[in-house]
Structure formats: structure tokens, C-alpha cells
Amino acid sequence: QDVEQRLDDVKGIDEIKGEIKDLIHMLRNPEEYTAKGAKLHKGVLLHGNPGTGKTLLSRAIAGEAGTAFLYCTGSSFDEMYVGLGAKRVRELFAEARKNKPAIIFIDEIDTLLSKSRRFGGEHSSSRATINAMLTEMDGFNQNDGILVIGATNNKDGLDPAAIRPGRFDKKIAVPAPDINGRTDIFNIYLDKIERDETVDAKKLA
């Protein structure tokens, strides 16, 4: 889908704006990086508390870079039937290849790539889904124009295989906004309504 959001629409992320701009630059100019021998990221992990704007931030990255945006949640791969989760993973990457450059955004990725699914008492279908995900990430080249962004509130619960080099090896902590960020967020929403002059965004923040 086409994405309307831009980086200016995301407030309260001043601490990480430099990292995000670098990521967007990489997506827009991949040959600039590969010409210098630098490796492009295949997977980026956005981690932080719920409500810090990880999904909005991902949409803004796609909007700024001009890529297609494919959204899903980790739990959408949970299936009662063996093989269906893995099939959905393959279909997702096939769709990204048809629409590249593309960002695949997987919200709550810890539910898909959790340690417990591979090493705990989960059934073989869960392991097959994880393996399908890792196999797909290993199967495309860094210059294929596909980036996978995963969002999680629990990065420590991820399967170690998922965060090896060449997979989700770029991690960005998305902070809760400070007072200036909160003021900016209040102003965005207050500007959408007819507000009383006595309403002070800074005081609310």
C-alpha cells in the first residue's frame, strides 16, 4: 500500500532521528552503500514499550523511502494446521518481491520468533514457521530491495537465531517521548480541533 506518513509526522523520537534518517538514506540509495563495501541491513528490530510509536515510525520510513509497505502481526502466523504458518510466511515474501522495493513490517514479532517456540514445548508447526521466516530472510540478497522491520516490546524473548548477522542485526530502541516530544504530540492533535486559547500543550505535557 502507498504510505502517506512522513518522518515529520512522528514526534518524540529526537534521540533516534539520526539513526532513522540513515536507514531511510540506505533504502533510497542502496548502491551508494554497496559501492563502498558496506552491508545493507536485511532486518531491523524496533524495540520499546507499547505505545511509543513503532508502527507509525515504520510507516514513516516506508513513506520517506518511497517503498511499498506490507503490514502483519506475529500472531497472524499462528495456525492450528501444520504448515499453514510457514506457507503464510512464504506468501508474504513472495508479495514483497512482486512489489519491491518493499518494507515488510511485522508487529509483535516476538510472538512469531520467540525463544519458547523453538526451544520450549511448542509443536513442530511453530518451529516450521520460524524456520520458514529465517530461510526467507537468508534467501534474499541485501540489494534485493526488501527490508524486514520487526517491532517488539520484548527483544530479550527473541530466538537467538533471529538476531544473528544477516537477519535482525540492526536494533533501534524507540524511547518514550520527553517533555518536548510530548508537547509536539499534543500540538499535532490539538491543531486538528478548534481549541480554546487557554489550552497549553506544554502544561499538558
Side-chain angles (χ1 to χ4, degrees), residues 3 10 14 21 23 48 52 54 102-103 119 126 164 194 199:
V3 181
V10 189
D14 288 350
K21 283 181 175 175
L23 199 54
T52 49
K54 297 183 288 294
I103 285 175
F119 304 113
S126 293
R164 284 213 304 258
E194 198 175 323
V199 176

Side-chain angles (χ1 to χ4, degrees), residues 65-134:
T67 69
F69 186 77
L70 284 72
Y71 174 93
C72 59
T73 62
S75 56
S76 64
F77 299 100
D78 276 337
E79 288 296 341
M80 288 166 54
Y81 302 105
V82 174
L84 263 187
K87 184 180 175 213
R88 283 191 174 169
V89 168
R90 290 192 293 271
E91 287 171 348
L92 176 65
F93 279 84
E95 188 69 19
R97 286 187 183 93
K98 278 193 285 185
N99 293 284
K100 62 187 187 182
I103 285 175
I104 296 172
F105 177 71
I106 305 174
D107 207 356
E108 298 171 357
I109 197 166
D110 47 290
T111 59
L112 168 62
L113 296 177
S114 70
K115 284 179 194 169
S116 61
R117 292 186 77 139
R118 182 189 289 270
F119 304 113
E122 293 275 352
H123 49 73
S124 61
S125 180
S126 293
R127 291 194 293 275
T129 305
I130 290 177
N131 289 336
M133 180 79 195
L134 302 180

